[in-house]
Amino acid sequence: NLDGLDERDSIKICTAYKMGDEILHKNTTLTLTPREGLNISLKRKDFTLAGSYAKKVILQDENDISANFALGMDHFMNHRYNKAEEHLKKALENAPGEPAILNNLAVVLIRLDRFEEAETNAVKALEILPGSKEIQETLRRIRELKAEQK
């Protein structure tokens, strides 16, 4: 028994096929392992679905980077910022220097009004991925909020 990882979940996917001028829609049900579901839902940026798969993956490996990232983002989306921080920090422990985790942790820290820590994480992320508009925007926002505090 793999603590729930051998069970398979289903996900419905609607696909569209173009034949001539006609578009045919086909509903397909795929059966996925929790890890497959986690990977697909992360690619789709569906953090709620990713979080549900991550809970199963984490039963097998509490240090799983993707599962902790997904749970962090799911908690963030549901305004549970302390839990989001916990999971993103766990992901970062196992993937130090991952810019997506650093940037999202910075965003969580903004919500917790911890601007210095947020800025440190955003700067690290930008050093690793200097061309990222998303990280640049996070850093701009942090600095704007810090200036408003003064």
Side-chain angles (χ1 to χ4, degrees), residues 7-8 41 49 64 71 76 97-98 101 124 132 137 141 143:
E7 69 186 55
R8 298 178 80 80
S41 50
L49 183 59
D64 185 274
L71 285 169
F76 175 79
E98 172 55 49
I101 300 170
K124 283 182 194 173
S132 171
E137 177 58 25
R141 181 72 180 131
R143 290 178 173 158

Side-chain angles (χ1 to χ4, degrees), residues 33-43 49-51 53-54 57 64 66-67 70:
T33 65
R35 181 158 310 282
E36 291 167 334
L38 173 61
N39 291 337
I40 288 172
S41 50
L42 280 174
K43 284 181 182 149
L49 183 59
Y53 283 114
V57 171
D64 185 274
S66 295

Side-chain angles (χ1 to χ4, degrees), residues 127-138:
E127 287 171 357
I128 296 162
L129 201 59
S132 171
K133 300 288 184 207
E134 184 177 345
I135 299 169
Q136 290 171 0
E137 177 58 25
T138 300

Side-chain angles (χ1 to χ4, degrees), residues 30-146:
L30 297 177
T31 303
L32 306 170
T33 65
R35 181 158 310 282
E36 291 167 334
L38 173 61
N39 291 337
I40 288 172
S41 50
L42 280 174
K43 284 181 182 149
R44 292 173 50 200
K45 296 184 180 180
D46 183 344
F47 297 118
T48 301
L49 183 59
S52 68
Y53 283 114
K55 288 174 188 170
K56 294 175 184 178
V57 171
I58 228 153
L59 291 174
Q60 181 66 28
D61 180 4
E62 68 182 30
N63 295 313
D64 185 274
I65 297 162
S66 295
N68 276 293
F69 178 76
L71 285 169
M73 296 307 295
D74 182 37
H75 287 301
F76 175 79
M77 300 298 288
N78 288 293
H79 310 283
R80 296 185 299 262
Y81 304 120
N82 290 317
K83 291 295 285 179
E85 177 188 13
E86 177 185 320
H87 283 286
L88 290 173
K89 281 187 171 181
K90 185 78 160 179
L92 196 57
E93 283 175 22
N94 296 290
E98 172 55 49
I101 300 170
L102 286 162
N103 188 59
N104 284 293
L105 179 56
V107 172
V108 167
L109 293 168
I110 290 169
R111 297 295 173 104
L112 294 170
D113 294 328
R114 291 169 35 205
F115 303 123
E116 291 298 326
E117 289 175 75
E119 185 174 27
T120 299
N121 283 287
V123 167
K124 283 182 194 173
L126 198 56
E127 287 171 357
I128 296 162
L129 201 59
S132 171
K133 300 288 184 207
E134 184 177 345
I135 299 169
Q136 290 171 0
E137 177 58 25
T138 300
L139 193 53
R140 185 200 63 74
R141 181 72 180 131
I142 293 166
R143 290 178 173 158
E144 182 180 275
L145 290 166
K146 281 176 64 176

Side-chain angles (χ1 to χ4, degrees), residues 15-35:
T15 53
Y17 301 93
K18 184 170 170 98
M19 299 190 83
D21 292 329
E22 193 176 347
I23 296 178
L24 305 173
H25 294 277
K26 180 181 177 185
N27 286 321
T28 306
T29 300
L30 297 177
T31 303
L32 306 170
T33 65
R35 181 158 310 282

